[in-house]
Amino acid sequence: MNPADSAPSPVPPAESHATFEQVCLGILAVIATATAAKFLSGVLAPLAMAVFLAVVIQSFANSLERLLGQLLPGGRRFGMPAALLITIVLFGVLLVLTIDNASAFASKLVSYAPRLNDLISRLAGALHTASVPTLDELLLQLNPGAYLASAAGVVRNLAADTVLILIYLGFILASGRAFERKVLNLSTERGERRTMVIAYRSILGSVEQYLWVQTITGLMIAAASWVAMTMVGLDGATFLAVLIFLACYIPILGAALGVVIAPVFALMQFPTLWQAIFLYAVLQGLHFVVGNIIAPRMQARSLNMDPLVVLLSLAFWGWLWGVIGMFLSTPLTVIVMVICAQFPGSRWVAVLLSADGRPGGVQPSKA
């Protein structure tokens, strides 16, 4: 008998164990990163919002550069200054309109108290409730002083975050052109450098496309909502239209808020129900048409995100960074998906996040 035949066969390398260990390490890394991001939310959330705004302004500047380059010799260099000027003017006009209409709208809310008491009484009667509290009694039970103090704290934090966002935004715009060169120089190998640049441009393209679609569809919904609210004579139509436009940047939750907010105020303002029913039907129809027909055609396959992932990302980023996280939930998840698609060890994450199992447009780098 040949001794070689009786020798034990070599044990194959435990590739499955290594893969399982990589998955476990990846999960632990995600938990650790999320914990750190939650702890540092006061710094990271304004930074993420500043990057978001920088992408918006840079995309606008790129479009203006192409336009001015065709109209004027050397006009491309005026793209960024023109984009900044137009952005500042539009933001100022929007802020003035919002403040002016919000103050007028708030002053009219006081006159809604009798109507609210009547609605509460009808609701209690429909539910066969014996004791019917008035609006004043409900406010006393809810302890509005505590809520006002909390709201004041939110406004104070928002003002501080706004200053921090503007500071971040200034520095990001000042060094924006150099960031792609930094990405290019992260590796010395030609193939890896090409993959990094393609991934970077894929992220920018996906985020820009998302912002473009949300802005255009948000303007369509807000304008049509303003027309419908003006037709029925709803108070504060401009202010509510601005709120509906801003809510369009929050996936799922924003659409629900945009459909409900105007009919609720119509119930408080008008003694009849047809105005609220009309507004609800119009807004529901608008969001259905835009969300299921127009937006998918405009967005095509640029995001390639599973609808369940959109919902989960809204919950996750909202828990992590609050309102800023809700606004940025979809772009941040797209970034995570594109980055994970570049590495064989994390590509399975990108596959799960994608809608069709083919995340991004970039092939993963070879190990």
Side-chain angles (χ1 to χ4, degrees):
M1 181 177 181
N2 191 349
D5 296 335
S6 60
S9 301
V11 179
E15 295 181 358
S16 60
H17 293 288
T19 304
F20 178 73
E21 291 175 0
Q22 290 176 358
V23 172
C24 291
L25 288 175
I27 294 174
L28 291 176
V30 170
I31 295 174
T33 303
T35 303
K38 179 71 172 178
F39 180 74
L40 299 174
S41 60
V43 176
L44 295 181
L47 177 60
M49 179 58 76
V51 173
F52 175 84
L53 295 176
V55 171
V56 174
I57 295 174
Q58 186 62 60
S59 177
F60 187 32
N62 292 338
S63 300
L64 289 177
E65 285 177 2
R66 290 190 294 268
L67 177 62
L68 294 176
Q70 296 174 355
L71 297 177
L72 300 172
R76 293 181 63 89
R77 66 177 182 271
F78 298 109
M80 179 57 76
L84 287 173
L85 179 61
I86 294 174
T87 301
I88 292 172
V89 170
L90 289 177
F91 180 78
V93 171
L94 182 64
L95 186 63
V96 170
L97 286 175
T98 302
I99 293 176
D100 182 52
N101 286 274
S103 59
F105 183 70
S107 64
K108 292 180 179 179
L109 286 178
V110 181
S111 62
Y112 295 161
R115 175 63 180 162
L116 280 175
N117 287 328
D118 181 59
L119 288 175
I120 293 171
S121 177
R122 290 186 181 184
L123 180 61
L127 296 176
H128 304 288
T129 303
S131 177
V132 182
T134 64
L135 180 62
D136 294 337
E137 293 172 347
L138 286 176
L139 290 176
L140 288 176
Q141 293 176 5
L142 292 174
N143 189 10
Y147 287 101
L148 288 175
S150 178
V154 170
V155 172
R156 183 174 60 253
N157 293 334
L158 182 61
D161 287 344
T162 302
V163 174
L164 196 56
I165 289 171
L166 293 177
I167 294 174
Y168 284 146
L169 180 60
F171 281 98
I172 292 172
L173 291 176
S175 60
R177 294 290 187 181
F179 190 78
E180 185 170 341
R181 293 194 296 269
K182 295 178 182 178
V183 173
L184 186 64
N185 293 324
L186 285 176
S187 176
T188 57
E189 295 185 10
R190 185 182 183 89
E192 290 184 357
R193 293 174 68 178
R194 180 177 178 277
T195 301
M196 289 179 180
V197 171
I198 293 177
Y200 170 71
R201 292 177 179 174
S202 177
I203 290 172
L204 284 185
S206 297
V207 173
E208 286 179 4
Q209 180 73 3
Y210 169 77
L211 294 176
W212 168 256
V213 172
Q214 294 302 110
T215 300
I216 297 300
T217 55
L219 287 173
M220 294 169 58
I221 292 174
S225 301
W226 180 85
V227 172
M229 290 184 289
T230 304
M231 287 176 59
V232 300
L234 186 66
D235 293 335
T238 303
F239 174 66
L240 294 177
V242 172
L243 291 183
I244 291 173
F245 170 72
L246 295 177
C248 289
Y249 286 98
I250 302 178
I252 302 173
L253 186 61
L257 178 63
V259 169
V260 170
I261 185 171
V264 168
F265 282 105
L267 284 175
M268 293 189 293
Q269 178 179 343
F270 300 108
T272 55
L273 297 178
W274 72 264
Q275 293 92 343
I277 296 173
F278 172 78
L279 288 176
Y280 180 80
V282 170
L283 294 177
Q284 184 67 41
L286 278 173
H287 281 274
F288 178 81
V289 172
V290 172
N292 294 278
I293 299 176
I294 298 178
R297 290 180 179 272
M298 293 177 63
Q299 203 149 278
R301 299 168 64 87
S302 59
L303 291 185
N304 188 24
M305 281 182 59
D306 190 279
L308 178 61
V309 172
V310 175
L311 178 61
L312 294 177
S313 66
L314 175 66
F316 173 76
W317 292 107
W319 165 77
L320 200 65
W321 289 342
V323 176
I324 293 179
M326 291 182 181
F327 271 97
L328 303 181
S329 60
T330 300
L332 289 172
T333 307
V334 169
I335 292 173
V336 171
M337 183 175 67
V338 174
I339 291 176
C340 289
Q342 310 314 307
F343 307 99
S346 61
R347 185 171 173 78
W348 63 274
V349 177
V351 171
L352 293 178
L353 294 178
S354 65
D356 59 2
R358 295 192 294 270
V362 187
Q363 296 299 321
S365 59
K366 301 297 183 182

